[in-house]
Amino acid sequence: MKYKWLLLMILLFQTINSQSQKLGDLKIIDSKVLKEKRNIKVLLPSDYSTENKYPVIYITDANYNFEIASTYLTQLIKFNAVPKTILVGITQEKRWDELDVFWKENGIKFKDFIFNELIPYINTEYSTSGFNAIIGHSDGAEYNHLLMLQENNPFRGFINISENLNTDISNGISEYFKAYKGKKLFYFIASGKYDSKYRIAAGEAIENFYKNYKNTNIIFQNKLYDADHQNLLSKSLIDGISYIFQDYRNLSNYNGFKDYVKNYKGDVESIYGFTPNENRVDVDHFFVKALDTKNLELYEYIVEYCRENKIFNFLTYDRSWHYYYMGQHSKSIQYWNKTIENFEGTSPRVFYYNFKKAIDSYSILNNPKGAIEFLEKCKKVLPEYILEFDYFIAKVSYERNVEKRKGKKSLKYCWTNYKENRYFKKEDLDKLKIK
């Protein structure tokens, strides 16, 4: 079903919910490349298990932006809008040297640290899926596209917030967009209306490079926000994280439920490196669609699929209502009778509030005697509602001129034992007459 985005946006700014995500250990990496010890922040799913595989998002400038990234990611995971993901924050004290947009010695060293030390370390310490993304703001955004152009680039997701082109690498980016043939890559740029005009222009330029080639292996978006250089991070980051995981639970990618069943898990595994579990909400989307379109064949297929995979437990009462909704009245009656025989977890009160649908189905099928027989069974199983069942026996008998003896007996019972109820009043009894 549709995500509750309004509720999500309210919750994004609350404290991290421990049920969705938990802070892992603060790791210290003894880097030979940087010739120093570097602190790394790690956020793990609360139910992290080595039996599962997880995508990884890396974020530079973790000294100041790790908290907001962890908050956003936590809430997106909580609402299952993105998969359970590991977040790795790279702290920096000399960011101007390391996020070197002119690609000098320190910038290249920092790249070597990320590619050759940090990512292998995370892959060794944790159960990772092979899908890596990186978030960069300001110089971090520009540094990201320099990383992308490297031959051994390990990232397939880029969230570049406030891009720039301090160095003219237009040909390099254009050639990359033209020649890339790897697995699907996600490239998200966020620009701010109140940011530097050069940064806005850089985002537009990179967008034009992409439009020139429209490489189907690259999914690209450049989005403009009512934001300045600093608050652009807070306004765009949730969109960026959602963008790189757009193929997770994207039901619009599939031409119906059978296509979804056949391809969804394989598609996610191919793109993000893990096999998703069955999702009840996603299946429910197709199920409701089957009901709304009254597609009996699809409905039966989904019911059987859910039974085999233990996704939903369709009670006989549920199916009686479903068939009624789809206009399958013979099948609806069949399951109403199965329900009255065993109830199978359905509460008597729920049955009481809805049994009139069975009477309606009998009426549509022109089977008043069947309706009275059904109501007689209801009286035996649910004696607390005899008054209401007798009313409908009398109503069917009198209106359809059948089973007159049973009709008179039931009407007499209703007069003698009348009390306020859901279905009829005393004046309704006055209206019943033998034809």
Side-chain angles (χ1 to χ4, degrees), residues 61 100 164 233 394:
D61 288 324
D100 175 19
N164 212 343
L233 177 71

Side-chain angles (χ1 to χ4, degrees), residues 37 55 59 61 70 78 118 196 210 220 234 276 367 388 400:
K37 293 182 179 180
I59 184 166
D61 288 324
S70 62
K78 177 181 177 181
L118 177 57
S196 163
Y210 174 76
F220 179 92
S234 64
N367 185 6
E388 291 88 335
R400 303 298 292 272

Side-chain angles (χ1 to χ4, degrees), residues 315-334:
L315 305 177
T316 54
Y317 164 78
D318 297 328
R319 299 192 69 177
S320 67
W321 185 89
H322 297 155
Y323 285 124
Y324 176 86
Y325 185 81
M326 291 188 291
Q328 300 291 324
H329 296 288
S330 293
K331 284 183 172 289
S332 180
I333 286 172
Q334 176 187 346

Side-chain angles (χ1 to χ4, degrees), residues 121-134:
Y121 172 81
I122 295 298
N123 290 340
T124 299
E125 287 290 306
Y126 303 102
S127 182
T128 58
S129 72
F131 179 85
N132 298 314
I134 188 166

Side-chain angles (χ1 to χ4, degrees), residues 295-343:
N295 188 331
L296 180 61
E297 187 272 337
L298 177 59
Y299 170 82
E300 300 283 7
Y301 179 86
I302 294 176
V303 168
E304 182 60 21
Y305 178 84
C306 290
R307 185 192 65 78
E308 291 179 355
N309 293 276
K310 300 179 180 179
I311 299 173
F312 288 121
N313 180 25
F314 288 99
L315 305 177
T316 54
Y317 164 78
D318 297 328
R319 299 192 69 177
S320 67
W321 185 89
H322 297 155
Y323 285 124
Y324 176 86
Y325 185 81
M326 291 188 291
Q328 300 291 324
H329 296 288
S330 293
K331 284 183 172 289
S332 180
I333 286 172
Q334 176 187 346
Y335 278 90
W336 277 111
N337 279 279
K338 285 185 177 182
T339 301
I340 201 65
E341 290 169 3
N342 57 42
F343 278 91

